Amino acid sequence: MSTFEKLNKINGFDFKNPINAKQNNYAWSMAELGDYIYVGTGRNVPWIVTKLLSPDAEAPLLISTTNQDNNAEIWRYKKDGSRPWQRVYKAKTEEQINGFRFMIIHAMPNSTPALYAASLSFQGSVAILKSTDGSNWTRVGGDIKGTSSRSMVSFNGMLYVAVLDEAIGGNMPLLYRSKDPEFFDFELVFDPEDSDIDPEKNPIGGINNIVVFNKKLYVCISTSQGIEVWRSNSGYPKKNDWTLVADKGFGDALNDNAMAVGVYKDYLYVTATKKFPLTLLVPFGADMIRIDKLDRWELVVGGLPIIPSKPSTGRRNKALSGYGSGFFNPFNVYIWQVMEYNGNLLAATFDHGTNIENLRDIVLLNKEIIIDRFDEDVYKLLIKIYDTILSLFKKFHYPKGFDLYVSKDGIKFEPLSLSGITTSNNYGGRILMEGSEGELYIGTANPFDGCEVLRADKCAFERYMYNHRKVNYDDSLFLFKRRVEMMLEELVIHIRTKGLLKEKK
C-alpha cells in the first residue's frame, strides 16, 4: 500500500542502537503538538504480557532480546521531515515505567495547551507527565493509584483520566479529573469505596475506555458478567449520577474489555474483546456495537455469542454489517482502534494469527504454569490447536498482519489491507490519529522488528479508497477459518464444562 509513507526508516526509531529500537515494539500512544508528532512507546510488551501468566513465566526467543531495557520512551518527529526522530524522554529504572499508553492535548481556560502522557507501571502508581514544549517533561497530578491509563479526555475544561488497577479490566472504577494537574492534583470523580455508593447509579468495574459523546462522558467497564457502558447524566460527572446504557457483554458474557471507542456521525462505536488471559491463549474474534443518542445499542460486527447472556438494556441483534466476530476472522482478537477520518469510519485490528508461533512457544515453555491455571487437557488442546493452525497457515497462505477496514456509512465495511500495510510483522494497528492538516497517522505494534509510524495525506487516502484493488479472503480461507473455529469451540466446551473460564486462585 504505497499510499502510506513510513516515517521511521528504522523500526523502533533508535537508528543509533538497533537493539534498543526493537524494544520499542508498540507505538502505544500518539499526539500532535506544534510542528511535531509525539509517540509514546510500549517496551517489550509481549514479554510483559507473558509475565502476567506468572512472574516465573518464560518468554520465547522470538520476542526476547539481549540487554533488555523496559524503561519507556517518548519520541518526536518534525512533520515537514526536516529533522530526524528525536528521543525526548526516557524513563528512569527506578520509575518502573514500561510504556506510555495514552497521550492527549489539554488546556484549562486561558492557558497554553500542553501534552500529557499516561504511563503503564506495575509499582502501584500511575505517572502523568506534562510538557508544554515537547522537550521538558514533568510528573504532575499527585499520587494516582493503579497500574496504567488507556484513556484520557478533555471535557468541559477538565482533564479526565481513567485508571486501571490491573493491566486490563480489573474491578475498581478509578476515574480522576483535574483542571490542570500542574496546579491542582487529580481527584476521584467518585470513590468506589464510599459507603453510600449505589451500584445501580455508578459504573462499578475497571474502566478500559472513556469518551465524550452527546455532551456526556461515557465509560466502558469490565464486570464479572461482561462489558458495561455507562454515561454521566450531566456534563459534570459525579457520584450516584450515572445511567447504564449497555451491559452483559452485548449478549456475549465473554466480551469483557472495551478496546476501542469512537464517535462517527450520530453514533458511539464500542469494540469488545473477550476475557483475559483466555483470549491471548485462544483466538476469538472481537465484536463491535454502536450506541445512538437515545441510549439504544445494536451489534455492528459479531456472530453467535460464545456464552449467551441476556442484557437488561437491549437484545443482541444480527450484525448490521453482515460480518461475524473479528470481521469473520477469529484471529482479529481486538478491533484496536475505531476513528472517523474524512467522513469515513476506520477500524484497525490486532491479528493474533501473526502471533500463533509465539503462543505455542509460550505454552511449551510454561507447561506447568498453564496446567496449574487451567488443566493438562487444556494444555494438550492448545498445543494441538496451535500446531494445526500453523500447518494450515502454510497450506492456505494466510495473510498475517493487522487489518484496516473502512466504512462510508458505519454499517458496510470493506478491507483496505489484510497484511499490516507495510509488513506482516505489524500485527496491530495500535493507534490512529488525524493530524492538523488532515493527514492520517497509524502507529503499529510489531514485536519482531520494532514499531512503525505510517502517514497518508487526505487526498492520497481518498484516491486509494476509490481506486484500490479490492482485497478479501477467498473461499479456501473461509473454510480454513471455519475449521479453526470448530477447534476453538471444542476447547471452549471443555473449559466451560470444567468451570475453567475463571482463573485458578
Side-chain angles (χ1 to χ4, degrees), residues 377-395:
D377 288 339
V378 169
Y379 169 80
K380 291 178 179 177
L381 276 170
L382 285 172
I383 297 300
K384 175 185 175 183
I385 289 171
Y386 295 152
D387 280 332
T388 302
I389 290 172
L390 289 169
S391 296
L392 291 171
F393 277 173
K394 294 179 181 179
K395 180 178 179 180

Side-chain angles (χ1 to χ4, degrees), residues 130-188:
K130 176 181 178 179
S131 178
T132 56
D133 61 8
S135 298
N136 299 287
W137 295 81
T138 303
R139 186 167 180 166
V140 295
D143 184 45
I144 305 173
K145 64 179 180 179
T147 61
S148 72
S149 172
R150 296 190 73 254
S151 190
M152 298 188 282
V153 299
S154 182
F155 179 45
N156 287 343
M158 305 290 286
L159 177 61
Y160 287 82
V161 180
V163 174
L164 294 165
D165 62 341
E166 298 182 10
I168 193 74
N171 301 307
M172 297 291 285
L174 302 174
L175 180 61
Y176 293 87
R177 69 179 163 209
S178 170
K179 289 181 181 178
D180 185 325
E182 179 183 351
F183 310 106
F184 310 98
D185 284 352
F186 283 107
E187 296 180 346
L188 284 168

